[in-house]
């Protein structure tokens, strides 16, 4: 949102270019128009709504370069604030979004200059991680690594969707009056995920009132039983990858409600002349399990690219997670300095009586580390996307010291995660 007298940033670049953060509604509108020209008309309204109406953004989260001679915006990206939860621990996060540069201004380092400002903004915001839904490979140069499932899922043919034996459920579009029920259903489903996004009432209201006509527009379907009681929900985006009709979010559903949801998706797909159904949902939810049982084709998944600005800060924040894992393991009461070798340095987890009392810089990597791995591969390990063994299968420079494999697997197990969008 736009706040009066908010501090802005400005930096002169070469060739008459200026790097800035947005100061007011006029700047937001200029960048929104630029984003639409680069990415498509729906992104104009998405950018505008994000920085005028979203409850968590600030105008200074919108970063852009302009040509002083023409006043034209020539490159831009932004920080979209989130709050994630990792097994109950609140993790402030900042998505890097809506990145683009006009063709004549590419290969001049404008994105790199804006990323520097973006990372400064992450620190100001207290963000412990940053994510992006970006193109393949490019963002590795800025310290991002593939971590957590993003896009893909299961594909169902119409012939594989059975007609429910009787029509026990009906579907209607959600309204603002449904927000309390949606919040409850979302929190119930999120409880099954180790890592998920927090979503408060203001964010729900934004999703229901400020995404129509944008790139993030969705149909928010409510499932009701024969008595009119809300049995769950199902979201269908209007814009997405691929040709199928996509289900992008779902609450917990019982078996009969899940059958009805698939039948509803089939009806929508036929009505909209789509060739099939794609479920981009958490792998363990009822709808995905049902689809697999019906012969759905697994498309695999892309992944969020995640950057951790300060590993030590993230590990300190996750102390309750590590302490709980230690308490429930053969290492209960652990008193030991656990050294993690990242080649360019070492992080030391200091446990006393099973409590994590400190995370400190241990200097250069040494032979006492219980694990050695490339720095970027620490991100999927810490966030439970890959185990040490899975990483070692792809990276020969990942190694675990004997006899500490069990401790590594205790501290860093694989977990179930899925991030639904908050804008």
């Amino acid at each position: 949102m736009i706040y009066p007298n908010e501090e802005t940033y400005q930096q002169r670049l070469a060739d008459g270019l200026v790097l800035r953060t947005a100061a007011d509604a006029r700047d937001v509108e200029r960048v929104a128009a630029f984003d639409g020209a680069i990415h498509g008309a729906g992104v104009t309204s998405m950018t505008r709504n994000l920085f005028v109406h979203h409850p968590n953004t600030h105008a200074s989260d919108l970063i852009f370069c302009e040509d002083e001679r023409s006043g034209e915006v020539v490159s831009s990206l932004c920080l979209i604030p989130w709050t994630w939860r990792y097994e109950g621990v609140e993790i402030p996060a900042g998505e890097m979004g809506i990145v683009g540069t006009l063709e004549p201004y590419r290969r001049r380092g404008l994105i790199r200059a804006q990323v520097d400002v973006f990372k400064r903004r992450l620190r100001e915001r207290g963000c412990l991680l940053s994510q992006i839904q970006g193109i393949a490979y490019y963002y590795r140069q800025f310290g991002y690594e593939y971590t957590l499932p993003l896009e893909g899922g299961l594909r169902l043919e119409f012939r594989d969707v059975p007609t429910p034996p009787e029509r026990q459920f009906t579907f209607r579009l959600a309204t603002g009056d449904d927000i309390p029920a949606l919040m409850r259903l979302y929190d119930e489903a999120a409880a099954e995920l180790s890592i998920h996004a927090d979503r408060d009432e203001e964010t729900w209201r934004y999703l229901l009132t400020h995404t129509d006509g944008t790139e993030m527009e969705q149909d928010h379907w409510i499932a009701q039983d024969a008595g009119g009681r809300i049995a769950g929900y199902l979201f269908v985006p209007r814009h997405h990858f691929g040709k199928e009709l996509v289900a992008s979010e779902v609450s917990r559903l019982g078996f009969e409600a899940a059958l009805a949801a698939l039948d509803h998706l089939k009806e929508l797909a036929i009505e909209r002349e789509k060739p099939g159904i794609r479920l981009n949902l958490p792998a363990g939810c009822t709808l995905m399990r049902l689809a697999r049982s019906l012969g759905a084709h697994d498309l695999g998944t892309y992944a969020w690219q995640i950057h951790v600005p300060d590993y030590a800060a993230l590990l300190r924040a996750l102390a309750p997670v590590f302490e709980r894992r230690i308490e429930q393991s053969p290492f209960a009461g652990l008193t030991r300095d656990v050294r993690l070798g990242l080649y360019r340095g070492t992080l030391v987890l200091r446990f006393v009586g099973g409590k994590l009392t400190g995370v400190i810089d241990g200097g250069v990597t040494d032979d006492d580390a219980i694990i050695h791995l490339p720095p970027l591969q620490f991100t999927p390990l810490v966030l439970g996307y890959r185990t040490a063994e899975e990483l070692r299968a792809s990276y020969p420079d990942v190694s675990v010291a004997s006899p500490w494999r069990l401790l590594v697997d205790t501290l860093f197990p694989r977990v179930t995660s899925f991030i639904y969008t908050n804008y």
Side-chain angles (χ1 to χ4, degrees):
M1 301 181 75
I2 298 171
Y3 296 91
N5 304 317
E6 187 172 1
E7 184 177 349
T8 59
Y9 178 86
Q10 183 168 311
Q11 174 187 349
R12 290 195 170 276
L13 305 176
D15 302 322
L17 301 179
V18 178
L19 189 162
R20 295 181 49 202
T21 56
D24 51 30
R26 179 176 173 273
D27 283 341
V28 171
E29 192 59 40
R30 293 170 62 216
V31 177
F34 166 82
D35 287 341
I38 293 286
H39 301 289
V43 182
T44 297
S45 49
M46 181 176 82
T47 301
R48 180 188 301 119
N49 287 1
L50 265 173
F51 290 95
V52 174
H53 298 295
H54 197 282
N56 299 325
T57 60
H58 289 216
S60 53
D61 295 324
L62 189 56
I63 302 164
F64 65 100
C65 295
E66 63 182 357
D67 192 321
E68 229 178 1
R69 293 157 296 192
S70 63
E72 181 182 26
V73 176
V74 300
S75 184
S76 181
L77 56 80
C78 66
L79 187 155
I80 304 169
W82 299 59
T83 300
W84 289 11
R85 287 202 175 270
Y86 188 159
E87 296 184 7
V89 174
E90 186 174 291
I91 303 294
E95 180 179 354
M96 186 190 297
I98 326 180
V99 181
T101 302
L102 288 178
E103 177 66 39
Y105 294 85
R106 292 174 186 170
R107 292 170 290 278
R108 299 195 195 181
L110 298 186
I111 296 298
R112 183 171 296 280
Q114 290 172 93
V115 168
D116 289 344
V117 177
F118 174 88
K119 288 184 175 180
R120 179 180 64 82
R121 188 71 179 138
L122 285 176
R123 293 191 295 272
E124 293 171 353
R125 282 284 207 159
C127 294
L128 295 177
L129 60 82
S130 172
Q131 75 276 22
I132 188 168
Q133 305 179 43
I135 58 175
Y137 185 74
Y138 179 78
Y139 294 94
R140 287 183 186 275
Q141 66 184 305
F142 303 122
Y144 287 77
E145 184 53 83
Y146 288 96
T147 310
L148 306 188
L150 171 61
E151 186 69 42
L154 301 178
R155 189 186 195 279
L156 266 176
E157 306 293 339
F158 296 145
R159 64 176 179 270
D160 295 326
V161 179
T163 301
E166 53 183 302
R167 211 167 265 281
Q168 302 178 43
F169 297 90
T170 57
F171 291 82
R172 63 170 176 81
L173 293 172
T175 70
D177 293 338
D178 294 312
I179 288 177
L182 289 167
M183 291 178 66
R184 173 179 57 80
L185 291 166
Y186 178 87
D187 290 344
E188 288 175 356
E192 299 175 353
L193 301 168
S194 293
I195 302 175
H196 65 272
D198 258 3
R199 191 182 286 170
D200 59 18
E201 182 175 351
E202 287 185 303
T203 302
W204 272 108
R205 199 163 299 283
Y206 178 88
L207 291 173
L208 292 180
T209 59
H210 292 296
T211 57
D212 288 355
T214 77
E215 193 72 11
M216 306 304 289
E217 182 176 5
Q218 298 189 82
D219 294 330
H220 305 96
W221 292 100
I222 296 283
Q224 294 185 153
D225 65 17
R229 291 179 292 272
I230 294 177
Y233 71 77
L234 178 71
F235 292 175
V236 177
R238 288 283 179 166
H239 308 280
H240 51 77
F241 295 106
K243 297 180 179 179
E244 300 88 356
L245 184 89
V246 174
S248 62
E249 183 170 328
V250 68
S251 66
R252 284 179 176 172
L253 297 174
F255 174 71
E256 289 84 1
L259 273 178
L262 287 181
D263 188 56
H264 182 63
L265 290 170
K266 177 180 175 179
E267 290 179 358
L268 289 175
I270 293 172
E271 175 187 309
R272 298 178 188 181
E273 300 182 337
K274 302 292 185 180
I277 298 165
R278 179 162 65 86
L279 306 179
N280 184 31
L281 302 167
C285 74
T286 302
L287 207 57
M288 292 284 274
R289 292 166 63 196
L290 175 59
R292 277 191 289 270
S293 77
L294 296 171
H297 176 63
D298 191 339
L299 301 172
T301 58
Y302 194 53
W304 287 95
Q305 297 167 64
I306 294 180
H307 166 66
V308 177
D310 183 339
Y311 281 125
L314 178 62
L315 294 172
R316 290 187 197 103
L318 292 176
V321 174
F322 298 129
E323 290 172 358
R324 184 164 55 249
R325 290 172 179 172
I326 289 294
E327 182 182 7
Q328 297 170 356
S329 80
F331 299 98
L334 179 70
T335 298
R336 178 183 176 85
D337 281 359
V338 177
R339 301 179 70 84
L340 310 172
L342 306 183
Y343 287 109
R344 294 179 179 175
T346 301
L347 289 170
V348 180
L349 306 184
R350 180 154 291 165
F351 284 94
V352 177
K355 299 297 181 181
L356 183 58
T357 61
V359 180
I360 59 177
D361 181 354
V364 298
T365 299
D366 55 44
D367 292 338
D368 291 333
I370 67 169
I371 186 172
H372 292 85
L373 72 170
L376 286 186
Q377 299 316 309
F378 194 46
T379 303
L381 183 72
V382 170
L383 297 183
Y385 185 61
R386 294 281 185 260
T387 65
E389 186 65 24
E390 289 168 333
L391 289 171
R392 196 166 71 89
S394 298
Y395 298 90
D397 46 1
V398 174
S399 62
V400 180
S402 178
W404 299 111
R405 184 178 303 279
L406 181 58
L407 179 57
V408 169
D409 291 343
T410 297
L411 288 170
F412 306 113
R414 210 178 208 282
V415 302
T416 302
S417 306
F418 205 86
I419 306 299
Y420 288 133
T421 186
N422 269 354
Y423 59 89

